[in-house]
């Protein structure tokens, strides 16, 4: 087939890389999109194949193409897993630039602002990627700059900052899952929130038999970025008599969204609240996990659970 | 393109489990091979009944159906050469039972290999066939390809771990094949026939698999060789000595140089290295195996021989082998690492000659080829590095591959040890199996008279793989 690259001036430079991707699919192992929908077309390899198709002319730029390209949390799990060193998210960003120029701005995971926006401009300040601006009338989101960290959603006092498709990571969905875990597991004691970077030792896409999970006493919920941990979410498990809540974030300078700094502050203030009402502040705990350090994550969970077992239930 | 009754399919699997947008179809038209073709719809069944209903519909309307697991097949097994419905089996992803008393597990076909092993680990057990792609390969795909991996030299391939299965036939009927017991004497072993059938005979909807205990001790060693011949003879001697390696891997100089060049690993650039491993429940028994292999390597002029039980040291030893894929992809910006002629098997005594032949042929045609692989099972891997934009390189690859396979067959080797035949390897497969091809055709006709299951593959695949489908690469005219 003939090359047809003229309309893709940003994507064009990846031509060779797209050929060098061996299409092994290793990148979709723990992609939160793929894990949530189970469709291969939502996995990172699919975006790479699509990018190739756009360049070769086999794929027509369309709404559904941009929907795919713009759906990414930039957690970079795919890059860490790639067998061939492909810079996936840089490729996605360039594809997004070209699609935007064709007026194909996919909503994807990007936050948009609804009519309810109070124009307080808090989200502008909170956005770590300068993706939000104010044009004098409305908040404008730059879909290329936005990395779907979701911080704006959590800070918006009017609930006006939203995400089109959260792939199971928004506050309400996580709260539902926490509630569901406690109502279906007698031994349930804790919820562990983990940003997708902290490499949770979890199944990829398979489901275990009941007999294997019945005695589980904690559940790991992926909240994408530590920056999205708000008191309401962290407190939700206590509604169901949780013994404790742990959150895993990236180490000091490693978070692309500075979400770990926010998380630290949030957890500190929760600890203070616990102290003031005579509840052991160690029931909420923040740990820093280097990307890919499964062993440390597991060890931290074990220590936390041991501690909780010593403390016993709150009630 | 034939029209499909989308509404009918929606009724069977529900709106949430069907995709027909061209942007989705394009993605499901490729796997890890060089091929690409467009399907007509992607359907994701969640139950056996849904698979049966889809098959009945497809059979009545003569629509091709291609089962798809992780889509990690390397020879175009899931690429829909004649269009049709892709059955995305990843929707059936439950581990149904782990039975420790009777030592088997039952799983749905979409369960990922690594996930099954994660579930077995707390019980001290593992499912051993494990291909290198275990992080995405599904049990259904492993069965259909008879996948195997680095430890198959001791533990066997998927075929050896399959006790039984439930299969939906092309007409929608459900059959139970095999048993739940370790042995089963007579009758055609139909469940084993399904293994390696590449989705051409039936859709596996449930599999009963055996598993084995995780060994207490693992010891890994390495030996360098200054000639391929020495390394090859060491392999033959190890396997003939009665030693039981749990892994025996070869890497050649091209591979070592690639890893050094791109990853700066500083490995000694010798003609070949052998990586060997033994495992077991008793340390003395493992020592015995390792010492035996070390001595044999020494006898065949192996150098820098060294072995360790320490997991960190083992990782270090294996790093060169493990880094091979990325190293080959990054070897040269202008060369892509293609999945072609990548997994033949030859008798042990021919391993060294095979590796030498690969180098000779690569030189002749101006392409880069490495030789590495699970030599303990006779499996030799290679990758062809070439400038995929250049039409003449495809011509060279075509000729090189034909020569490689001519050699493989001339020494009584086989076309594919583990990755399967699909489209890319049909030419050699057909020559190799010439005297039994009519039996394959008879079996296929008996089970699938309308030829709707993965048509155009294996013995039905076109001889010329380059033109069998669109290539997944942009080739300048
Ligand atoms: C980087 C890489 C490394 C690899 N390493 C190895 C290796 O070490 N050893 C090895 O053996 N292979 C290896 N492979 C090849 C491949 O991953 C395996 O053969 C694997 O078993 C394919 O599984 P899958 O789920 O991806 O199958 P797919 O590619 O989706 O399908 C493969 C075949 O199985 C059929 N199929 C899938 N599910 C079913 C079902 N439920 N019922 C009937 N038919 C079905 C399909 O129709 C197709 O013909 C590797 C591949 C890659 C990309
Ligand atoms: S960066 Fe994360 S969300 Fe985006 S494609 Fe990669 S794994 Fe998926
Ligand atoms: S892991 Fe890397 S090489 Fe493999 S399919 Fe994904 S991007 Fe391509
Ligand atoms: S805060 Fe995050 S989600 Fe919101 S606009 Fe900025 S980058 Fe996007």
């Amino acid at each position: 087939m003939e090359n047809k690259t003229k309309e893709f001036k940003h994507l064009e430079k990846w031509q060779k890389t797209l050929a060098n991707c061996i299409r092994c699919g290793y990148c979709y192992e723990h992609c939160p999109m793929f894990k949530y929908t189970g469709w291969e077309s939502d996995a990172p390899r699919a975006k790479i194949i699509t990018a190739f198709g756009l360049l070769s002319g086999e794929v027509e730029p369309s709404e559904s193409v941009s929907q795919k390209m713009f759906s990414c949390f930039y957690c970079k799990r795919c890059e860490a897993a790639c067998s061939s060193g492909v810079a996936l998210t840089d490729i996605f960003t360039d594809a997004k630039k070209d699609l935007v120029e064709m007026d194909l701005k996919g909503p994807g995971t990007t936050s948009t602002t609804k009519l309810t926006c109070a124009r307080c401009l808090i989200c502008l300040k909170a956005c770590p990627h300068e993706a939000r601006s104010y044009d004098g009338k409305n908040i404008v989101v730059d879909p290329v700059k936005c990395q779907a960290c979701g911080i704006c959603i959590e800070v918006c006092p009017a609930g006006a900052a939203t995400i089109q498709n959260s792939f199971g990571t928004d506050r309400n969905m996580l709260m539902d899952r926490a509630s569901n875990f406690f109502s279906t597991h007698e031994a349930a004691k804790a919820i562990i929130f983990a940003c997708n970077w902290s490499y949770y030792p979890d199944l990829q896409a398979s489901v275990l038999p009941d007999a294997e999970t019945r005695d589980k006493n904690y559940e790991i919920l992926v909240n994408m970025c530590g920056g999205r941990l708000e008191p309401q979410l962290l407190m939700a498990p206590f509604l169901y008599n949780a013994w404790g809540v742990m959150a895993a974030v990236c180490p000091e300078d490693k978070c692309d969204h500075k979400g770990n700094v926010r998380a630290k502050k949030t957890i500190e203030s929760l600890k203070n609240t616990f102290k003031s009402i005579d509840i052991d502040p160690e029931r909420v705990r923040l740990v820093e996990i280097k990307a890919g350090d499964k062993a440390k994550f597991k060890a931290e969970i074990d220590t936390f659970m041991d501690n909780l077992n010593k403390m016993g239930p709150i009630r | 393109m034939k029209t499909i009754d989308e509404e009918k399919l929606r009724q069977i699997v529900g709106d949430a489990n069907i995709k027909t947008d061209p942007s989705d179809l394009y993605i499901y038209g490729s796997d890890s091979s060089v091929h690409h073709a467009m399907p007509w719809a992607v359907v994701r069944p969640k139950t056996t009944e849904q698979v049966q209903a889809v098959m009945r519909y497809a059979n009545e309307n003569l629509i091709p159906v291609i089962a798809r697991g992780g889509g990690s097949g390397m020879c175009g097994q899931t690429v829909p050469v004649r269009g049709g419905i892709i059955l995305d089996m990843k929707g059936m992803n439950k581990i149904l039972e782990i039975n420790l008393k009777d030592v088997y597990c039952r799983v749905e076909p979409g369960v990922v290999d690594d996930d099954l092993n994660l579930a077995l680990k707390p019980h001290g057990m593992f499912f051993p066939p494990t291909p290198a792609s275990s992080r995405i390969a599904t049990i259904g795909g492993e069965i259909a390809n008879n996948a195997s991996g680095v430890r198959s030299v001791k533990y066997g391939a998927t075929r050896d771990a399959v006790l039984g299965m439930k299969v939906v036939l092309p007409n929608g009927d459900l059959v139970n094949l095999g048993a739940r017991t370790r042995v089963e004497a007579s009758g055609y072993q139909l469940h084993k026939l399904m293994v390696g059938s590449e989705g051409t005979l039936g859709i596996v909807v449930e599999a009963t698999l055996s598993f084995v205990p995780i060994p207490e001790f693992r010891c890994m060693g390495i030996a360098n060789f200054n000639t391929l011949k020495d390394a090859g003879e060491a392999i033959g001697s190890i396997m003939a000595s009665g030693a039981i390696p749990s892994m025996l891997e070869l890497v050649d100089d091209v591979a070592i140089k690639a890893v050094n060049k791109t990853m700066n690993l500083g490995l000694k650039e010798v003609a070949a290295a052998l990586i060997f491993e033994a495992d077991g429940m008793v340390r003395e028994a493992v020592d015995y195996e390792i010492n035996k292999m070390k001595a044999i390597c020494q006898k065949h002029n192996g150098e820098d021989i060294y072995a360790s039980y320490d997991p960190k040291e083992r990782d270090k030893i294996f790093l060169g082998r493990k880094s091979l894929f990325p190293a080959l992809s990054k070897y040269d910006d202008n060369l892509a690492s293609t999945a072609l002629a990548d997994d033949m098997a030859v008798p042990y005594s021919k391993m060294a000659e095979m590796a030498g032949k690969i180098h000779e042929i690569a030189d002749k045609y101006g392409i880069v080829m490495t030789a590495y692989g699970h030599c303990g099972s006779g499996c030799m891997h290679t990758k062809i590095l070439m400038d995929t934009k250049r039409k003449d390189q495809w011509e060279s690859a075509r000729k090189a591959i034909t020569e490689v396979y001519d050699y493989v067959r001339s020494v009584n080797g086989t076309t594919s040890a583990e990755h399967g035949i699909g489209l890319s390897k049909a030419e050699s497969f057909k020559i190799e199996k010439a005297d039994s091809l009519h039996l394959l055709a008879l079996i296929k006709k008996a089970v699938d008279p309308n030829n709707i299951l993965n048509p155009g593959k294996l013995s039905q695949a076109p001889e010329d793989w380059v033109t069998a489908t669109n290539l997944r690469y942009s080739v300048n005219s």
Side-chain angles (χ1 to χ4, degrees):
Chain A
M1 72 220 68
E2 274 303 309
N3 295 341
K4 181 187 157 199
T5 51
K6 33 191 183 308
E7 296 150 35
F8 293 93
K9 55 179 196 286
H10 295 100
L11 195 54
E12 202 172 11
K13 63 171 167 292
W14 298 104
Q15 189 94 253
K16 276 182 198 158
T17 311
L18 293 173
N20 285 348
C21 153
I22 60 169
R23 300 212 175 157
C24 59
Y26 285 14
C27 50
Y28 71 67
E29 189 185 7
H30 281 304
C31 171
M33 319 267 155
F34 173 69
K35 278 196 79 159
Y36 185 69
T37 71
W39 284 111
E40 252 183 78
S41 38
D42 291 318
R45 175 171 73 174
K47 293 189 181 53
I48 292 293
I49 295 174
T50 303
F52 173 85
L54 287 170
L55 280 182
S56 70
E58 291 169 301
V59 171
E60 275 298 309
S62 68
E63 286 293 334
S64 59
V65 164
S66 68
Q67 181 77 47
K68 289 185 177 63
M69 278 299 173
F70 283 83
S71 292
C72 171
F73 289 111
Y74 284 79
C75 69
K76 302 188 185 174
R77 285 295 296 270
C78 49
E79 281 169 28
C82 175
S83 72
S84 306
V86 176
L88 287 104
T89 52
D90 290 343
I91 298 177
F92 306 160
T93 303
D94 278 330
K96 281 171 26 175
K97 285 181 191 160
D98 288 327
L99 288 166
V100 165
E101 278 169 28
M102 289 171 201
D103 241 3
L104 288 166
K105 216 190 306 182
T109 47
T110 312
S111 5
T112 50
T113 310
K114 285 200 269 184
L115 286 172
T116 43
C117 172
R119 277 79 177 161
C120 63
L121 309 194
I122 287 177
C123 61
L124 238 82
K125 297 198 180 79
C127 173
H129 300 289
E130 294 174 356
R132 293 186 160 245
S133 56
Y134 182 57
D135 68 2
K137 270 196 198 144
N138 289 308
I139 303 283
V140 184
V141 184
D142 181 333
V144 176
K145 284 186 179 164
C146 171
Q147 302 203 355
C149 65
I151 289 174
C152 53
I153 304 169
E154 303 304 338
V155 298
C156 175
T162 56
I163 207 153
Q164 280 267 332
N165 190 346
S166 77
F167 295 88
T169 62
D170 74 32
R171 201 190 299 174
N172 290 335
M173 281 177 170
L174 291 172
M175 281 169 28
D176 281 352
R177 286 182 57 199
S179 140
N180 185 42
F181 173 64
F182 279 93
S183 63
T184 50
H185 292 78
E186 259 178 46
K189 289 176 187 165
I191 294 289
I192 316 288
F193 291 104
C195 88
N196 205 51
W197 226 175
S198 8
Y199 214 86
Y200 49 101
D202 188 7
L203 295 187
Q204 185 204 129
S206 314
V207 180
L208 288 172
D210 277 353
E212 298 292 314
T213 56
R214 207 177 294 132
D215 303 331
K216 244 167 89 167
N217 50 20
Y218 64 84
E219 176 82 315
I220 302 172
L221 297 181
V222 175
N223 59 294
M224 288 321 297
C225 177
R228 299 190 64 173
L229 291 168
E230 286 297 312
Q232 192 195 2
L233 177 63
L234 288 165
M235 287 303 293
F238 293 104
L239 211 64
Y240 316 106
N241 299 326
W243 298 18
V245 168
M246 186 175 113
V249 297
C250 298
E252 195 71 47
D253 53 339
K254 290 283 185 256
C255 176
D256 281 353
H257 319 296
K258 300 190 192 82
N260 52 356
V261 182
R262 279 179 53 79
K264 233 180 238 172
K265 285 184 192 148
T266 312
I267 297 240
E268 262 327 301
S269 81
L270 258 189
K271 276 180 182 291
N272 286 334
T273 313
F274 270 39
K275 247 186 256 166
S276 69
I277 50 175
D278 250 1
I279 294 180
D280 194 328
E282 284 309 306
R283 287 187 191 271
V284 273
R285 185 171 152 75
L286 182 89
V287 293
E288 294 182 356
I289 310 284
K290 212 165 75 230
D293 197 347
K294 275 189 199 186
K296 168 142 196 245
F297 188 36
K298 181 75 180 58
E300 289 286 5
I301 294 177
D302 288 346
T303 316
F304 181 63
M305 294 310 294
D306 282 350
N307 264 341
L308 285 187
N309 284 331
K310 279 180 209 140
M311 291 180 215
I314 295 179
R315 273 203 324 201
Chain B
M1 182 182 128
K2 197 166 171 148
T3 49
I4 45 162
D5 188 347
E6 210 181 300
E7 220 16 71
K8 171 82 188 163
L9 291 172
R10 279 181 199 283
Q11 278 165 20
I12 298 172
V13 291
D15 282 343
N17 291 305
I18 176 165
K19 298 258 187 207
T20 51
D21 190 275
S23 67
D24 290 290
L25 300 182
Y26 183 76
I27 290 157
Y28 277 89
S30 51
D31 54 10
S32 302
S33 71
V34 300
H35 304 286
H36 185 269
M38 288 291 267
W40 305 336
V42 184
V43 167
R44 182 172 63 181
K46 299 273 185 182
T47 64
T48 297
E49 291 71 29
Q50 289 178 355
V51 175
Q52 290 180 281
V54 173
M55 288 316 302
R56 277 188 210 108
Y57 161 74
N59 200 34
E60 272 159 28
N61 296 282
L62 307 181
I63 295 169
V65 175
I66 301 97
R68 180 177 174 107
S72 69
M74 294 175 106
C75 347
Q77 291 97 318
T78 55
V79 174
V81 255
R82 299 187 189 167
I85 299 169
I86 297 277
L87 265 194
D88 185 347
M89 301 306 290
K90 288 190 292 299
M92 292 179 71
N93 59 354
K94 289 190 211 67
I95 298 172
L96 300 167
E97 182 189 1
I98 295 177
N99 190 322
L100 295 165
K101 275 196 232 133
D102 297 328
V103 200
Y104 70 73
C105 58
R106 285 187 308 117
V107 302
E108 289 187 336
V111 165
V112 178
D113 183 305
D114 270 4
D115 286 355
L116 176 59
N117 274 308
L118 216 57
L120 289 170
K121 201 173 170 193
H123 303 293
M125 297 291 170
F126 79 111
F127 175 66
T130 304
S133 51
S134 58
R135 59 176 78 185
I136 70 159
T138 63
I139 298 300
E142 290 184 5
I143 289 174
N145 269 349
N146 190 23
S148 55
V150 288
R151 297 219 161 82
S152 294
V153 54
K154 175 168 179 179
Y155 295 98
T158 306
R159 178 169 280 129
D160 304 302
V162 171
L163 302 176
M165 61 179 79
K166 288 185 184 168
V167 175
V168 173
L169 298 175
N171 65 5
D173 287 354
L174 178 70
V175 288
N176 261 295
L177 307 177
R180 282 193 196 167
T181 52
R182 177 103 357 196
V183 285
E184 192 197 12
S186 297
Y188 304 150
Q189 302 275 297
L190 293 180
H191 59 302
K192 305 269 179 183
L193 179 64
M194 287 293 156
V195 182
S197 64
E198 297 190 0
T200 62
L201 295 179
I203 308 290
V204 179
V205 288
E206 186 184 308
T208 305
L209 310 167
S210 60
F211 46 74
V212 293
I214 298 170
E216 289 280 333
F217 298 97
R218 276 200 173 120
C219 183
M220 193 184 279
I222 186 162
N224 290 330
F225 295 86
N226 288 315
T227 66
L228 261 175
K229 190 164 172 289
D230 281 337
E233 280 168 6
I235 297 168
S237 300
I238 289 174
M239 295 314 293
S241 73
I244 309 174
S246 51
M247 183 193 293
L248 183 55
E249 294 284 307
L250 170 85
V251 277
D252 73 350
D253 55 340
V254 182
I256 297 171
K257 279 187 197 129
V259 174
N260 276 347
K261 183 179 164 191
T262 56
M263 318 251 154
N264 242 332
L265 288 191
L267 302 178
K268 199 162 164 193
E269 298 197 353
V270 285
L274 281 188
I275 299 169
F276 47 92
E277 187 200 68
D279 66 10
M281 293 298 177
V282 182
R283 184 158 172 150
E284 287 71 20
V286 178
D287 278 344
Y288 173 82
E289 300 291 346
I290 285 287
N291 289 336
K292 198 161 166 177
M293 290 191 271
K294 274 163 103 177
I296 294 173
C297 288
Q298 197 145 30
K299 197 170 137 220
H300 292 281
N301 307 316
E303 292 175 358
D304 316 311
I305 302 171
Y306 155 78
S308 176
Y309 282 89
D310 179 49
K312 282 211 179 92
E313 286 294 318
R314 286 186 345 226
D315 283 352
K316 239 200 232 159
I317 293 174
F318 203 61
L319 188 62
R321 171 71 175 86
K322 198 177 154 192
S323 313
L324 199 52
F325 277 166
L328 292 175
S329 297
K330 288 187 230 158
Y331 186 75
D332 181 327
D333 244 9
N334 292 309
L335 304 181
S337 167
T338 57
L340 290 168
D342 52 354
D343 70 322
M344 41 268 164
V346 291
Y348 298 127
S349 60
K350 299 293 176 199
M351 292 301 291
E353 197 177 290
M354 170 87 241
K357 198 81 195 167
I358 288 174
H359 293 166
E360 187 189 310
I361 294 170
D363 282 348
K364 181 169 161 191
Y365 290 105
I367 49 183
V368 180
M369 289 177 82
T370 55
Y372 64 99
H374 321 316
C375 51
S377 357
C379 169
M380 178 72 81
H381 284 311
T382 173
K383 283 265 184 303
I384 296 187
L385 305 191
M386 62 175 181
D387 186 341
T388 50
K389 287 189 302 304
R390 279 169 48 191
K391 212 171 182 175
D392 62 310
Q393 289 256 301
W394 287 95
E395 281 313 311
S396 300
R398 187 203 314 257
K399 287 185 195 136
I401 288 167
T402 303
E403 269 186 46
V404 166
Y405 284 134
D406 284 348
Y407 168 80
V408 168
R409 292 189 312 274
S410 76
V411 297
N412 296 318
T414 189
T415 306
S416 172
E418 50 181 38
H419 298 167
I421 302 298
L423 295 164
S424 322
K425 294 178 205 148
E427 182 194 2
S428 177
F429 175 75
K430 286 193 206 178
I431 304 173
E432 183 189 326
K433 308 286 183 205
D435 61 351
S436 59
L437 275 186
H438 67 290
L439 290 179
L440 261 72
L442 282 173
I443 294 171
K444 172 76 173 159
K445 184 101 194 149
V447 183
D448 182 16
N450 293 328
N451 196 22
I452 58 159
L453 271 182
N454 210 1
K457 301 290 169 64
L458 267 172
S459 50
Q460 291 179 3
E463 253 94 89
D464 184 4
W465 57 268
V466 182
T467 55
T469 59
N470 272 341
L471 293 169
R472 59 145 280 208
Y473 299 96
S474 293
V475 185
N476 292 331
S477 44

